[in-house]
Amino acid sequence: MTKVIRNGTIVTADRTWKADVLVKDGKIVAIGNDLHGDHEFDATGCYVMPGGIDPHTHLEMPFMGTYSADDFESGTRAALSGGTTMVVDFCLPSPGQSLLEAIQMWDNKSTRASCDYSFHMAITWWGEQVFNEMPEVVKRGITSFKHFMAYKGALMVDDDEMFSSFQRCAELGALPLVHAENGDVVAQLSQKLLAEGNNGPEGHAYSRPPEVEGEATNRAIMIADMAGVPLYVVHTSCEQSHEAIRRARQKGMRVFGEPLIQHLVLDETEYFDKDWDHAARRVMSPPFRNKQHQDSLWAGLSAGSLQVVATDHCAFTSDQKRFGVGDFTKIPNGTGGLEDRLPVLWTKGVNTGRLTPNEFVAVTSTNIAKILNMYPRKGAILEGADADIIVWDPEKIKTISSKAQQSVIDYNVFEGIQVKGLPRFVFTRGELAVNDGKVEAKPGHGQFVAREPHMAVNKALSTWKEVVAPRKIERTGIPATGV
Amino acid sequence: MTKVIRNGTIVTADRTWKADVLVKDGKIVAIGNDLHGDHEFDATGCYVMPGGIDPHTHLEMPFMGTYSADDFESGTRAALSGGTTMVVDFCLPSPGQSLLEAIQMWDNKSTRASCDYSFHMAITWWGEQVFNEMPEVVKRGITSFKHFMAYKGALMVDDDEMFSSFQRCAELGALPLVHAENGDVVAQLSQKLLAEGNNGPEGHAYSRPPEVEGEATNRAIMIADMAGVPLYVVHTSCEQSHEAIRRARQKGMRVFGEPLIQHLVLDETEYFDKDWDHAARRVMSPPFRNKQHQDSLWAGLSAGSLQVVATDHCAFTSDQKRFGVGDFTKIPNGTGGLEDRLPVLWTKGVNTGRLTPNEFVAVTSTNIAKILNMYPRKGAILEGADADIIVWDPEKIKTISSKAQQSVIDYNVFEGIQVKGLPRFVFTRGELAVNDGKVEAKPGHGQFVAREPHMAVNKALSTWKEVVAPRKIERTGIPATGV
Amino acid sequence: MTKVIRNGTIVTADRTWKADVLVKDGKIVAIGNDLHGDHEFDATGCYVMPGGIDPHTHLEMPFMGTYSADDFESGTRAALSGGTTMVVDFCLPSPGQSLLEAIQMWDNKSTRASCDYSFHMAITWWGEQVFNEMPEVVKRGITSFKHFMAYKGALMVDDDEMFSSFQRCAELGALPLVHAENGDVVAQLSQKLLAEGNNGPEGHAYSRPPEVEGEATNRAIMIADMAGVPLYVVHTSCEQSHEAIRRARQKGMRVFGEPLIQHLVLDETEYFDKDWDHAARRVMSPPFRNKQHQDSLWAGLSAGSLQVVATDHCAFTSDQKRFGVGDFTKIPNGTGGLEDRLPVLWTKGVNTGRLTPNEFVAVTSTNIAKILNMYPRKGAILEGADADIIVWDPEKIKTISSKAQQSVIDYNVFEGIQVKGLPRFVFTRGELAVNDGKVEAKPGHGQFVAREPHMAVNKALSTWKEVVAPRKIERTGIPATGV
Amino acid sequence: MTKVIRNGTIVTADRTWKADVLVKDGKIVAIGNDLHGDHEFDATGCYVMPGGIDPHTHLEMPFMGTYSADDFESGTRAALSGGTTMVVDFCLPSPGQSLLEAIQMWDNKSTRASCDYSFHMAITWWGEQVFNEMPEVVKRGITSFKHFMAYKGALMVDDDEMFSSFQRCAELGALPLVHAENGDVVAQLSQKLLAEGNNGPEGHAYSRPPEVEGEATNRAIMIADMAGVPLYVVHTSCEQSHEAIRRARQKGMRVFGEPLIQHLVLDETEYFDKDWDHAARRVMSPPFRNKQHQDSLWAGLSAGSLQVVATDHCAFTSDQKRFGVGDFTKIPNGTGGLEDRLPVLWTKGVNTGRLTPNEFVAVTSTNIAKILNMYPRKGAILEGADADIIVWDPEKIKTISSKAQQSVIDYNVFEGIQVKGLPRFVFTRGELAVNDGKVEAKPGHGQFVAREPHMAVNKALSTWKEVVAPRKIERTGIPATGV
Ligand SMILES: [Zn+2]
Ligand SMILES: [Zn+2]
Ligand SMILES: [Zn+2]
Ligand SMILES: [Zn+2]
Ligand SMILES: [Zn+2]
Ligand SMILES: [Zn+2]
Ligand SMILES: [Zn+2]
Ligand SMILES: [Zn+2]
């Protein structure tokens, strides 16, 4: 049984052209004019693009005795509804837990995913066992390792551990990721704010100013450089962090930055809302910043100093958020966005001219696939690629509302924003998941995507580091040999 | 009649994979496993890449009563021999001359080209006629306009003219280019040096320090920003210029930079050679810089702040160079490089790990094709693309020597450099031009490539400029209306 | 007859201490404890500081057939009332006019000045006469030369002229100043805005965006560097210009920047006022900028990358401003500030902690005196220095109002700002000019202050430029000598 | 008994003029023309300047079971011989040791000092006792606290401790200092180098690349900013660190940087010397860098982004250095320089035009006195100031040689450098210590200089931090109160 997407304009990261797309057995099998198949989907007036990939989600994530509210079932349905056809979630071992055991747990969670997914492995502790299990993790197709520089006393690793892990990544051809905030400083600032009575959600933002993120980003970059490994900085939210990334890149370092759709369009004034719930629902780390930071992030996307747009989707209900009434440090950190990333980015980015349509595809899909070494199986409209496809109607309008969303939570941080540009059809490996705007996700359809290590940038960087490696000086006149 | 390139590894700007390539009627018609055809070319152990595109050549360029020595015949043969399958040359009207008449002259020059070519149009003067002819130039497929900020009294335009022309480019959806050096300052510095007896070729370098280039680049960027048009800076040779480009890009401006292979690998000490000929043969504008500038340019290529590598091929014989004995301002400006760009960049870039093979393809071919709106007809290994293909043997070695070169001049600025990585086969629109290392160019085979205006970045930038356009304030209390 | 300022705390650019000051014959003759004299002035609770120096005023400046409204009489009275005891005005020759003749005209204008003054000479045209008269100008004590990069068709000089003049300054040990805006671009933008119907005062701001100023600053810096002379950038109003200055300084270049008090505290929204008069009264070049630019300027003052705060006092009445109804290019450019610079800077700078009291003295007085080579005659509380002294009451409050001002114009751009920190007494060369807040200026008391060339930074820079000067290569094998 | 320095040209940080200086009871009591006294010293042809202050020495410092070779006796004699009339040494408590007890130890060491001195207190551990003793330390006149971010397992403090200490400094109006290198990374790199057989002195340099210093500087700056306290970065050796300082300052942060004379003139090639002793004698932290870093530091001194030049004088004999044969981590870290700082800086800075004579005084003396709040008792030629004076003969020449030095060690890292510019006379609180080039130090003459806290920049910064402090949002609708 074949499907054809007809009469659309294909938009990829590198070009735009009119052609039909023929899909069979979950793959794109032909691209050309006047193709036909068993089922035909009209893309007239639409753009046909690679499905979005969200490189940063936390579905059913354990947190303070509870779990983030969207699991792989609701989360991937939300993703599909907004044109995202793949998510990369974080596998989080408990301190002391085997990495392989953690993979098993995440495998279990993800059985009802309706789109494809992959995992990053988090290095939440360090020891010989972790060192020894990392190769097996890579062998199982998980080639990216996340490090938390914040969440002191919980997920945080120190510089010594991080440097050890980065060196291990270099050996394995893997890619380290960092959540970059100085955890020591955040912890003390938080206590100071609480002590001063600053216990509302705005205190969360006050406790994590841009300088704290910029510092940690800068530090992680230095450590990666010393380890000779590329680096991926998740949720780059501010100019300070972006500046550190730019500065590194202009020295030839291989560093990637990931702004979130939230940071691109929402700002810190959300935390100053008189309504505690409104503010608390926006609590995430890093917090929203001001307009100058937003301008910096947008410029980074068009300049290429920032490469991808993610969501850090980690949804908590208002009830869960209210754990933190009277103490902002107890508000579960996280917001949603899986459903809204593409429409919001298109509206605020492409419709304003800040991004070209091709850049939109690059930052929502293709660059991610390349950096995580899944391209062109993912992130491409090419013969042989997985048929993860969105048919995008640039004229379609809606106003975002939690009432109509797929996510199980009871609010939406983008509530009330009118978007122009929405999926008409979405295909996940050839299966129709959004049909003329209506969501038809199939739980369990999603599969794990294994990835290969030793990406091209890893190999190039290793070669360069060997070229410039320290050389021992051959000496005459060493005193111990009898000067 | 079909040709198949078999058993190679295809390397494009975005991926690397093993596949065969089937060519017919000058086009790539299939890419896949186990393809067969009338003629089969063995690419075992080789990379199959899009042919190089040189966006910056001056073939048979009129200069001081003579012409640059390589014409379209020898120049394109040299290009093909090194894996470059397309050149973009500069059509230079005399002051007061019709742009259309100049096109006619360049059409005449290019009849014996053995690879495809396109033109940039130079704006060497400004007036109503130029303004009026620009749309016709664009209609003929020349959508990029070059502006010289140096060569005072000859090609140079002033800020007022440049701003006028950039605005015209914005209206036409065209792309302005600049040769960025402050011509007023260069002219005075040159006279001062000569007056002090500094008349040797090193005086040429002294008269054009990096600051002079950086300033002009910065100025052109501002003018482009005010005009609301993207900008392409040719022969970006130094950190100062690169810094200006980076600074612009990190504000969201659409600016491209083009280092030359010469500036990437040769440095200013060449001008301090005791041999006058040696130094004079390296005289070009901008001159070679020091190692710190080279590091900056290499980093720009991997960071994406610089996009393409060109040659500014403008070859003069030693006899021609000697016009300038006793007065460096009379040394014809220009060096060769068409034949050597790819092997030298591969050797110094890919073999050292400064660039990945994919980045190599991007900066020598694909990015150029995209910026100049010829992609994917050029710069791609895709079905439907022109069969401009190189089969690259990464193990093949040679030492560069003028004795063995295609260029008609009697020296080579890369003389003595050992390169590793050379073409085994080169195809220009399906025709074999290099056969197992032997050059078989066919003069007259080359065709003019017309290009469309209104590139995606032009459109996006125009949209953004409208979003942020100045708004008139509606006033009460205007005194003239009778306060 | 002696005067003593008793019981105050002396604040200079480099220290703060309690002492009395004894004044005789217009000079400070003693500083110490328990001094006594014929007249004693109580400085209890006050700071005793060097009088302010405004390095940038235009008193009775000819403009479009009229003159700026404050002349040396009202202007210096306004200055004294706010604690400024010296102004440096611009001597502006007409195109073709002798510089010496222009000095004569400015000498005539300044006879009724009630505080000391000096002049900068403007290079409004270029030619052999200008070149030849510059040494005589320097000999007369005018050692700084202003260059306008804007005001096309009027005061503007081009790069070639500016480079010539800068080189002449280098020879003479003089200091070039620039008004840095790209005049060609401003002129075209202005015409474009008018053509689009954008003829209100906000059009003035739109026609001179920060990029246009930053570009010109960057260009002037490069030209000064090539000429081997320090540079002083007047009215640095924006981050772009400040960035260019910082970038130069961090390469060791000798560049000074002068923010205006207006740009530090007033922003672009003034031009969006519904009242035409309100907006037009704020028209000056460069125009006011946004808050981010203000932050940049404040940081520059504390970091030392910007050195002085001026006013560019050039006051026009509302009637004069209304010349420009219907055409913003006809609104006379200029605002007042002489009276308000010190109180406003103290209030917004020292009272907020952005500046220390010592830095306040440095940027309003001492640094200016040093840069213009009048220190320690001016800008110091030292024995032997001119007794230009302010006794500053940090608790004194007023709300700025044009009704109570000394300036002859009918409005004040700082109207309504409450300042805390005002002069109790002001002395100009020992004469009391403000007595317990009451102004008692004496027209004709002011004297011209002649300055010496060859400042320490000029000498150091010349030495360094000789160290790094281009060296001729001695050659063998020059072809012309018979290779 | 009075002394007069006659016929010299006084050079201070802010001016240059001809005058005599009268000294009595260790103080300057008059400055003027034609002064006379009991002893007259001829300064004809000389500059009369404030004595040098070295803000960074380690005399008789305990290290690995031994002590640095120069103690307060030989160290201050060396200082005086080169024109330095005051040193600030580091009081280093052992882990767990009382700060007050450590002061006692340093008091004991310093009894034979022949010039004045002060102390910085090092925070080598953190706990309630340290927190509680800090006010008493400040009360005793030690208002600056040093933090080591390197020397893991010994002196190093972590971010949490450093942030705590910085906040305590903010409360006390004290100034934190940092030795900025990432100790975790240095430790691992060192082990890796040793494991690879890279055990020579060059391994020391390899283990501490500029990135490692830049990172720590950046981190300390952020932590100081969060604590609301100024910061002083000792031995700023590289562009990375300087860039972090510049970046902070251009945001209005109060950060100071201190290059060493060694880093300004010596480069990394010293470590590549074939002679083990030669290389080992230059081992210090941070190590010497390349020429580009030197250019950065020089520019910082003239731009004002770096403020002072120190020595980090910590002299070990060749025998002591040889502890590290076969293991560079065992080479005692430190070099000399007390005797050579001024002549070398004058020669390489003033004689080349990189610094004016006034800037020379600023960076060797006056700025240090201001930052450490000893001005104008120290660092000034003013009536009432301590008579710490050098009479500097700019024509005097010598070639530096360990044979002729005051330091007790057997080599000199500046060996063979010819300096032009040396003291003719040096006075320490009025006592002659160098007489026509001959050293006449008096052990025991030196006194401890107590300093006051709450410097002007501390106060300004605290005010500003209060202005921008986080404000609690007053809320309606807090869910816990019953939404
Ligand atoms: Zn995170
Ligand atoms: Zn996350
Ligand atoms: Zn050119
Ligand atoms: Zn060219
Ligand atoms: Zn002006
Ligand atoms: Zn002015
Ligand atoms: Zn140290
Ligand atoms: Zn030290």
Side-chain angles (χ1 to χ4, degrees), chain D residues 351-477:
Chain D
N351 290 345
T352 62
R354 284 185 129 162
L355 298 176
T356 67
N358 312 96
E359 290 166 343
F360 173 85
V361 172
V363 301
T364 57
S365 178
T366 306
N367 289 354
I368 298 163
K370 287 181 185 171
I371 291 170
L372 297 180
N373 212 14
M374 309 182 292
Y375 184 86
R377 174 173 166 192
K378 298 294 186 186
I381 301 291
L382 280 175
E383 289 173 22
D386 281 358
D388 287 357
I389 302 172
I390 39 178
V391 176
W392 190 260
D393 183 348
E395 298 301 323
K396 197 168 177 176
I397 288 176
K398 82 166 180 187
T399 298
I400 293 175
S401 163
S402 64
K403 297 210 174 67
Q405 77 190 2
Q406 302 297 324
S407 169
V408 302
I409 62 170
D410 57 319
Y411 60 92
N412 186 311
V413 297
F414 301 107
E415 187 79 26
I417 292 183
Q418 184 185 275
V419 292
K420 183 176 178 187
L422 284 161
R424 180 183 293 176
F425 303 109
V426 176
F427 301 87
T428 161
R429 270 185 301 104
E431 290 297 309
L432 191 65
V434 175
N435 189 353
D436 208 4
K438 191 157 155 285
V439 185
E440 302 177 350
K442 294 192 184 61
H445 168 74
Q447 296 179 353
F448 174 73
V449 177
R451 298 175 282 123
E452 292 291 320
H454 298 295
M455 286 75 86
V457 293
N458 289 59
K459 285 189 282 187
L461 181 55
S462 297
T463 301
W464 177 246
K465 286 294 180 185
E466 180 49 37
V467 168
V468 297
R471 304 287 181 238
K472 186 173 167 63
I473 302 298
E474 295 309 319
R475 285 220 154 67
T476 56

Side-chain angles (χ1 to χ4, degrees), chain B residues 251-272:
Chain B
K251 290 179 182 168
M253 297 177 194
R254 300 293 190 167
V255 184
F256 307 108
E258 170 204 89
L260 306 183
I261 185 62
Q262 294 92 325
H263 290 113
L264 285 164
V265 303
L266 301 175
D267 71 41
E268 61 182 357
T269 59
E270 304 281 351
Y271 301 116
F272 307 151

Side-chain angles (χ1 to χ4, degrees), chain A residues 127-444:
Chain A
E128 207 178 331
Q129 186 183 355
V130 173
F131 181 90
N132 288 335
E133 287 182 350
M134 285 174 76
E136 176 62 23
V137 173
V138 168
K139 200 177 294 173
R140 296 203 191 169
I142 301 176
T143 57
S144 41
F145 292 89
K146 169 80 168 286
H147 304 76
F148 293 89
M149 302 172 79
Y151 301 123
K152 189 176 181 179
L155 302 165
M156 180 166 139
V157 286
D158 67 22
D159 289 4
D160 194 46
E161 294 165 333
M162 199 160 74
F163 188 30
S164 298
S165 176
F166 281 20
Q167 289 177 85
R168 188 60 163 157
C169 287
E171 290 164 9
L172 299 171
L175 177 68
L177 279 61
V178 285
H179 169 129
E181 292 184 300
N182 186 308
D184 284 322
V185 170
V186 167
Q188 283 208 42
L189 286 179
S190 298
Q191 291 314 307
K192 190 160 170 261
L193 285 158
L194 288 176
E196 293 165 356
N198 245 320
N199 60 13
E202 72 278 17
H204 175 79
Y206 297 154
S207 72
R208 319 179 91 96
E211 287 75 17
V212 164
E213 178 186 348
E215 185 282 314
T217 301
N218 190 68
R219 183 155 36 105
I221 287 170
M222 182 278 283
I223 292 174
D225 185 40
M226 292 299 110
V229 74
L231 180 70
Y232 180 108
V233 181
V234 307
H235 47 49
T236 305
S237 79
C238 62
E239 163 60 11
Q240 279 85 341
S241 184
H242 182 195
E243 186 276 334
I245 293 170
R246 284 198 310 267
R247 188 156 33 88
R249 291 174 63 87
Q250 68 199 41
K251 290 178 182 169
M253 298 179 194
R254 300 293 191 166
V255 184
F256 307 108
E258 170 204 270
L260 305 182
I261 185 64
Q262 295 92 325
H263 290 112
L264 285 164
V265 304
L266 301 174
D267 70 42
E268 62 182 358
T269 60
E270 303 281 351
Y271 301 116
F272 307 151
D273 197 280
K274 292 292 184 192
D275 178 15
W276 190 97
D277 276 340
H278 182 99
R281 288 162 176 161
R282 274 82 184 164
V283 165
M284 66 179 303
S285 297
F288 304 158
R289 310 297 191 184
N290 69 25
K291 301 281 182 205
Q292 281 70 54
H293 294 291
Q294 293 180 355
D295 284 344
S296 169
L297 301 180
W298 282 108
L301 291 175
S302 66
S305 51
L306 301 174
Q307 292 73 31
V308 309
V309 174
T311 64
D312 198 1
H313 189 98
C314 186
F316 293 99
T317 64
S318 296
D319 277 352
Q320 289 175 306
K321 289 284 186 180
R322 289 179 188 182
F323 291 163
V325 169
D327 180 351
F328 68 81
T329 66
K330 303 220 171 94
I331 302 172
N333 278 215
T335 64
L338 261 173
E339 183 161 354
D340 311 303
R341 181 176 62 128
L342 268 54
V344 171
L345 188 73
W346 183 274
T347 302
K348 301 294 188 183
V350 178
N351 290 345
T352 62
R354 284 187 128 161
L355 298 177
T356 66
N358 310 96
E359 289 167 343
F360 172 86
V361 172
V363 300
T364 56
S365 179
T366 307
N367 288 355
I368 300 163
K370 287 180 186 174
I371 291 170
L372 298 180
N373 213 12
M374 310 182 291
Y375 184 85
R377 171 171 167 194
K378 299 294 186 185
I381 302 291
L382 281 175
E383 287 173 23
D386 281 0
D388 286 357
I389 301 172
I390 39 179
V391 176
W392 191 259
D393 184 346
E395 298 301 324
K396 196 166 177 175
I397 287 175
K398 83 167 178 187
T399 298
I400 292 175
S401 164
S402 63
K403 299 212 173 65
Q405 76 191 2
Q406 302 297 324
S407 168
V408 301
I409 64 171
D410 56 320
Y411 61 91
N412 186 311
V413 298
F414 301 106
E415 187 80 26
I417 291 182
Q418 185 185 273
V419 292
K420 183 174 178 190
L422 284 160
R424 181 182 292 178
F425 303 109
V426 177
F427 300 87
T428 163
R429 271 187 296 106
E431 289 298 309
L432 191 65
V434 175
N435 189 352
D436 208 4
K438 192 160 155 285
V439 185
E440 301 178 351
K442 293 194 183 61

Side-chain angles (χ1 to χ4, degrees), chain C residues 242-458:
Chain C
H242 182 195
E243 187 275 334
I245 293 171
R246 285 198 312 267
R247 186 157 33 88
R249 290 174 64 86
Q250 68 199 41
K251 290 178 182 168
M253 298 178 193
R254 300 293 191 166
V255 184
F256 307 108
E258 170 205 89
L260 305 183
I261 185 63
Q262 295 92 324
H263 291 113
L264 285 163
V265 304
L266 301 174
D267 71 39
E268 64 183 355
T269 60
E270 304 281 350
Y271 300 116
F272 307 151
D273 196 280
K274 291 290 185 194
D275 178 15
W276 190 97
D277 275 341
H278 182 99
R281 287 161 177 162
R282 273 80 183 164
V283 164
M284 65 181 300
S285 297
F288 303 158
R289 310 299 192 183
N290 70 24
K291 301 282 183 205
Q292 282 70 53
H293 295 291
Q294 294 180 355
D295 285 344
S296 169
L297 300 180
W298 283 107
L301 291 175
S302 67
S305 52
L306 301 174
Q307 292 75 29
V308 309
V309 174
T311 63
D312 199 1
H313 188 98
C314 187
F316 292 98
T317 64
S318 296
D319 277 353
Q320 289 176 307
K321 290 284 188 180
R322 291 180 187 181
F323 292 163
V325 169
D327 180 351
F328 67 80
T329 66
K330 302 220 171 95
I331 302 172
N333 278 215
T335 64
L338 261 173
E339 184 162 354
D340 311 303
R341 182 175 61 128
L342 267 56
V344 170
L345 188 72
W346 184 275
T347 302
K348 301 294 188 183
V350 178
N351 290 345
T352 62
R354 285 186 128 162
L355 298 177
T356 68
N358 311 97
E359 290 167 343
F360 171 85
V361 172
V363 300
T364 57
S365 179
T366 307
N367 288 356
I368 299 164
K370 287 181 186 172
I371 292 170
L372 297 180
N373 213 13
M374 309 183 293
Y375 184 86
R377 174 172 164 193
K378 299 294 187 185
I381 302 291
L382 280 175
E383 288 172 22
D386 281 358
D388 286 357
I389 302 172
I390 40 180
V391 176
W392 190 260
D393 184 347
E395 297 302 323
K396 196 167 177 175
I397 288 175
K398 80 166 182 188
T399 299
I400 292 174
S401 163
S402 64
K403 296 210 174 69
Q405 77 192 2
Q406 301 298 324
S407 168
V408 302
I409 64 169
D410 56 319
Y411 60 91
N412 186 312
V413 298
F414 300 107
E415 187 79 26
I417 292 182
Q418 185 183 273
V419 291
K420 183 175 179 190
L422 284 161
R424 180 183 293 176
F425 303 110
V426 175
F427 299 87
T428 162
R429 270 185 300 106
E431 291 296 310
L432 190 66
V434 175
N435 189 355
D436 209 4
K438 190 159 156 285
V439 184
E440 301 177 353
K442 291 192 185 63
H445 168 74
Q447 295 178 352
F448 174 74
V449 177
R451 299 175 280 124
E452 292 291 320
H454 297 294
M455 286 75 89
V457 292
N458 290 58

Side-chain angles (χ1 to χ4, degrees), chain D residues 56 146 148 151 179 234-235 285 312:
Chain D
H56 189 160
K146 169 79 170 288
F148 293 88
Y151 301 123
H179 170 128
V234 306
H235 48 47
S285 298
D312 199 1

Side-chain angles (χ1 to χ4, degrees), chain D residues 148-412:
Chain D
F148 293 88
M149 303 172 77
Y151 301 123
K152 189 175 182 181
L155 302 164
M156 180 167 140
V157 287
D158 68 21
D159 288 4
D160 194 45
E161 295 164 333
M162 199 160 74
F163 189 30
S164 298
S165 176
F166 281 20
Q167 289 177 85
R168 188 59 162 157
C169 288
E171 290 164 10
L172 299 172
L175 177 68
L177 279 62
V178 284
H179 170 128
E181 293 184 298
N182 187 309
D184 283 321
V185 170
V186 168
Q188 284 207 41
L189 287 179
S190 298
Q191 291 315 306
K192 189 159 170 263
L193 285 158
L194 287 177
E196 292 164 358
N198 243 320
N199 61 12
E202 72 278 16
H204 175 79
Y206 297 154
S207 72
R208 318 180 93 96
E211 286 74 18
V212 163
E213 178 186 347
E215 184 284 313
T217 301
N218 190 67
R219 182 154 39 104
I221 287 170
M222 183 277 282
I223 292 174
D225 185 41
M226 292 300 110
V229 74
L231 179 70
Y232 181 108
V233 181
V234 306
H235 48 47
T236 306
S237 80
C238 62
E239 163 59 12
Q240 280 84 340
S241 184
H242 182 195
E243 187 277 333
I245 293 171
R246 283 198 312 266
R247 186 157 33 88
R249 290 174 64 86
Q250 67 199 39
K251 289 178 182 168
M253 298 178 193
R254 300 293 191 167
V255 184
F256 307 108
E258 171 204 89
L260 305 183
I261 185 64
Q262 294 91 326
H263 291 113
L264 285 163
V265 303
L266 301 175
D267 70 41
E268 62 183 357
T269 59
E270 304 280 350
Y271 300 116
F272 307 151
D273 197 280
K274 292 290 183 193
D275 178 16
W276 190 96
D277 276 340
H278 182 99
R281 288 162 176 161
R282 274 79 184 165
V283 164
M284 65 179 301
S285 298
F288 303 156
R289 310 298 192 183
N290 70 25
K291 302 280 183 206
Q292 282 70 53
H293 294 291
Q294 294 181 355
D295 285 343
S296 169
L297 301 180
W298 282 107
L301 291 175
S302 67
S305 51
L306 302 174
Q307 293 73 31
V308 308
V309 174
T311 64
D312 199 1
H313 188 98
C314 187
F316 293 99
T317 63
S318 296
D319 277 352
Q320 289 176 309
K321 290 284 187 181
R322 290 179 187 181
F323 291 164
V325 169
D327 181 350
F328 67 79
T329 66
K330 303 219 169 94
I331 302 171
N333 279 214
T335 63
L338 261 172
E339 185 162 353
D340 310 304
R341 182 177 60 129
L342 268 57
V344 170
L345 188 71
W346 184 274
T347 302
K348 301 294 189 184
V350 178
N351 290 345
T352 62
R354 284 185 129 162
L355 298 176
T356 67
N358 312 96
E359 290 166 343
F360 173 85
V361 172
V363 301
T364 57
S365 178
T366 306
N367 289 354
I368 298 163
K370 287 181 185 171
I371 291 170
L372 297 180
N373 212 14
M374 309 182 292
Y375 184 86
R377 174 173 166 192
K378 298 294 186 186
I381 301 291
L382 280 175
E383 289 173 22
D386 281 358
D388 287 357
I389 302 172
I390 39 178
V391 176
W392 190 260
D393 183 348
E395 298 301 323
K396 197 168 177 176
I397 288 176
K398 82 166 180 187
T399 298
I400 293 175
S401 163
S402 64
K403 297 210 174 67
Q405 77 190 2
Q406 302 297 324
S407 169
V408 302
I409 62 170
D410 57 319
Y411 60 92
N412 186 311

Side-chain angles (χ1 to χ4, degrees), chain B residues 269-289:
Chain B
T269 59
E270 304 281 351
Y271 301 116
F272 307 151
D273 198 279
K274 292 291 183 193
D275 178 15
W276 190 97
D277 276 340
H278 182 99
R281 286 161 177 161
R282 274 80 183 165
V283 164
M284 65 179 303
S285 297
F288 303 158
R289 311 298 192 182

